[in-house]
Amino acid sequence: MTETDVIVVGAGPTGLMLACELALAGVRCRLLERRAEQPNITRAFAVHARTLELLDARGLADDLLAKGVPVDSVAPAPGATLDLRRLATRYPMVLIVPQSGTEHLLEERARELGVQIVRGAEVVGLRQDDGRVIVDLADGSTETASYVVGCDGAHSKVRGLVGIDFAGKQYATHILLADVRATEPPSDALFAKASGEGVVLMIPFGDGWFRAIAWDRLREQVPLDVPLPMEEMRDAFVRIAGTDFGMREQRWSTRFLSERRQAERYRAGRVFLAGDSAHVHSPLGGQGMNTGIGDAMNLGWKLAAVVRGRAPESLLGSYERERHRVGAQVLTLTDAFNRLVLGRSAIRRAFRTLTLRLALRFGRSRTFLAGRLTGLGIRYPAASRRAHPWTGRRMPDLRCVDGRVYELLRDGRHLLVDAGAKGGAARGDVKVARYTGPAVPGMPAVVLVRPDGYVAWAGDDIPMTYQVSDESPFTLSLP
């Protein structure tokens, strides 16, 4: 029997990110993956601005940028374009990069941090008591930990073993996916075309390969187990977009049935769910991997603080309170995109498209949609009505004396940003940084930033002793 602090099941982006967070905080972590080898296919391909900020907070964003293709505008519907260059972020883009590239980067970091990655480890049983979780593997061995996190995908074994319902529905339309080479690639970095026949997308991986995606009304009910030849994908593109972009070599293809589901709960005792184990949705909008990495960053520092005895166990309740709400918002967004693009009524599709075009003409609605799409608009509810308005919001990447905020977060500690120049100090697992300007409207004198880049507490002075509910279990003090 092998014992550790936390077992993470599933070595996709969510599981790898979570393992990195735990190891960074000094938590013993084992990562169990059913697959014996890494696959040579990729499913997710969009990395949004907020995810890039989170990766920047761990020193990984620049390495990922080198692997991808930046896109500075997106069109949720024909004639409705969002200019991402207007975003108030270091990363005003959506980065197109294969999921495999993100996984390789995260796995390399996980190994550097000492994470034990066990491949070919299939979970078949799980039981828990007040102090531990015992995991049974298909080879007859067992693993024991204080906590287990299921990051094992839409068909999560962990979720099934703890009896959490996965409520939702399947979409009727089958999606065609293929990785192809194109001799006449589109000029747009992110090509999309819709017609009465369906919708097609062509996404570059930056290495000569493209992800071809088609929602083809003519072929939407072909059984999922029927092979997808390149000729069928070519035909869909020609009918919908007027060209197949000179498709030739095809290295992978599949038919995919999209779902809209969310776990009823993200926790059962000492077992948690994150990523696709907790929520799946339409691929329109490219939200899946981004939401999973957000889950991992949120849960990681909290679980580490509890395991190391630096926070009460009640802190873990905030993971579900914060991230279940975000997951529901993502499902609402992607479902709206799905109805906008793939709705069966041409009149309704036209009306929704017109409504979206009009909404994007106004700054407030444009900012709202951009915030939802990129993740920059995510904020968590404050524990108290008396909390400062900045509490729970994404922390901007301000310049401090010793560097940018997100550079200063790279060791995974809380960061106290002092803009009041009052000479405050901090103790415990908190780093202090002096902000020197320029002035930010509404910025409080003192901001306590969580390891995941959200504001835990804000005010106009550092209290003699202060504990921010369960969100920041650290005591601050004046010298």
Side-chain angles (χ1 to χ4, degrees):
M1 179 182 291
T2 303
E3 295 189 11
T4 191
D5 292 325
V6 180
I7 291 173
V8 179
V9 182
T14 301
L16 287 164
M17 188 79 245
L18 178 59
C20 287
E21 288 297 282
L22 294 168
L24 181 65
V27 173
R28 294 178 303 159
C29 174
R30 281 172 67 81
L31 183 55
L32 308 182
E33 170 54 53
R34 179 179 55 82
R35 300 171 297 180
E37 298 180 357
Q38 288 182 318
N40 61 357
I41 62 173
T42 180
R43 299 188 187 280
F45 52 81
V47 183
H48 286 295
R50 182 53 180 166
T51 304
L52 289 169
E53 288 184 341
L54 296 177
L55 293 173
D56 182 33
R58 299 299 180 262
L60 297 170
D62 288 345
D63 290 338
L64 193 63
L65 284 171
K67 298 175 179 286
V69 177
V71 175
D72 60 18
S73 65
V74 295
T81 301
L82 270 174
D83 185 354
L84 302 179
R85 293 171 296 183
R86 299 183 181 185
L87 298 174
T89 175
R90 185 179 179 85
Y91 305 101
M93 66 183 75
V94 54
L95 185 70
I96 305 301
V97 61
Q99 178 178 321
S100 57
T102 305
E103 287 186 5
H104 288 149
L105 180 67
L106 292 174
E107 179 168 340
E108 182 178 347
R109 175 58 59 88
R111 293 189 184 280
E112 289 174 358
L113 292 170
V115 175
Q116 301 176 47
I117 301 176
V118 185
R119 293 192 174 274
E122 182 180 357
V123 174
V124 295
L126 182 152
R127 55 196 184 278
Q128 59 178 310
D129 55 32
D130 292 339
R132 64 177 183 170
V133 185
I134 300 174
V135 175
D136 299 319
L137 303 182
D139 64 2
S141 63
T142 60
E143 302 264 352
T144 302
S146 298
Y147 296 93
V148 168
V149 185
C151 305
D152 50 338
H155 303 289
S156 172
K157 185 72 172 181
V158 172
R159 188 185 63 237
L161 288 170
V162 295
I164 294 178
D165 188 31
F166 204 39
K169 65 179 182 180
Q170 292 181 337
Y171 289 110
T173 303
H174 292 180
I175 304 169
L176 312 182
L177 305 175
D179 285 356
V180 300
R181 288 194 181 276
T183 59
E184 303 171 9
S187 57
D188 296 339
L190 184 60
F191 175 85
K193 179 72 173 180
S195 76
E197 301 260 2
V199 181
V200 294
L201 288 85
M202 186 75 103
I203 297 116
F205 288 143
D207 59 357
W209 288 94
F210 291 77
R211 166 60 52 83
I213 305 175
W215 287 264
D216 184 358
R217 299 186 190 283
L218 187 63
R219 307 286 292 172
E220 63 184 7
Q221 294 302 322
V222 175
L224 296 175
D225 58 355
V226 174
L228 172 59
M230 188 165 58
E231 290 72 21
E232 184 176 341
M233 185 66 82
R234 281 175 172 164
D235 178 66
F237 266 75
V238 169
R239 283 185 290 104
I240 297 168
T243 177
D244 65 3
F245 297 109
M247 289 183 194
R248 47 187 181 89
E249 186 180 354
Q250 177 175 286
R251 64 182 178 184
W252 169 80
S253 66
T254 190
R255 301 178 196 274
F256 174 69
L257 180 60
S258 180
E259 296 181 289
R260 180 193 191 279
R261 298 185 186 278
Q262 185 175 26
E264 179 185 26
R265 295 173 288 126
Y266 283 12
R267 180 184 186 184
R270 290 179 168 269
V271 179
F272 296 82
L273 302 176
D276 286 356
S277 300
H279 43 74
V280 294
H281 33 75
S282 168
L284 287 171
Q287 297 294 306
M289 183 178 69
N290 295 272
T291 308
I293 289 176
D295 291 345
M297 292 288 285
N298 185 292
L299 179 59
W301 71 267
K302 297 173 180 178
L303 199 51
V306 172
V307 168
R308 298 186 66 195
R310 297 186 174 184
E313 199 273 342
S314 58
L315 174 65
L316 298 176
S318 68
Y319 167 65
E320 180 176 312
R321 288 198 303 271
E322 293 180 344
R323 294 305 297 180
H324 195 281
R325 177 172 171 267
V326 171
Q329 290 173 345
V330 169
L331 261 68
T332 298
L333 176 70
T334 55
D335 193 50
F337 281 152
N338 206 81
R339 287 183 279 110
L340 176 69
V341 175
L342 300 174
R344 296 187 178 278
S345 169
I347 295 175
R348 289 181 180 177
R349 290 200 311 271
F351 175 76
R352 289 167 182 155
T353 299
L354 178 60
T355 301
L356 182 59
R357 288 176 183 171
L358 291 173
L360 291 180
R361 292 182 181 180
F362 299 94
R364 181 172 296 181
S365 54
R366 184 171 59 243
T367 299
F368 175 80
L369 180 58
R372 284 290 180 90
L373 180 66
T374 63
L376 296 176
I378 292 173
R379 68 176 301 161
Y380 300 131
S384 169
R385 292 182 179 180
R386 295 176 295 176
H388 191 280
W390 274 46
T391 302
R393 64 167 282 181
R394 155 188 167 264
M395 182 65 182
D397 193 18
L398 304 177
R399 176 69 61 175
C400 299
V401 171
D402 297 323
R404 297 183 291 109
V405 164
Y406 284 78
E407 290 174 329
L408 297 173
L409 286 170
R410 288 180 180 173
D411 61 2
R413 298 166 62 194
H414 277 68
L415 177 69
L416 186 72
V417 179
D418 176 11
K422 296 179 182 296
R427 71 182 183 211
D429 202 16
V430 182
K431 182 188 293 186
V432 181
R434 180 65 56 79
Y435 174 64
T436 57
V440 175
M443 181 175 175
V446 185
V447 183
L448 183 63
V449 186
R450 300 171 4 172
D452 60 353
Y454 289 89
V455 176
W457 173 86
D460 291 325
D461 205 346
I462 305 178
M464 290 297 291
T465 58
Y466 191 87
Q467 183 167 323
V468 190
S469 183
D470 291 334
E471 302 304 312
S472 178
F474 304 104
T475 299
L476 309 178
S477 66
L478 290 172

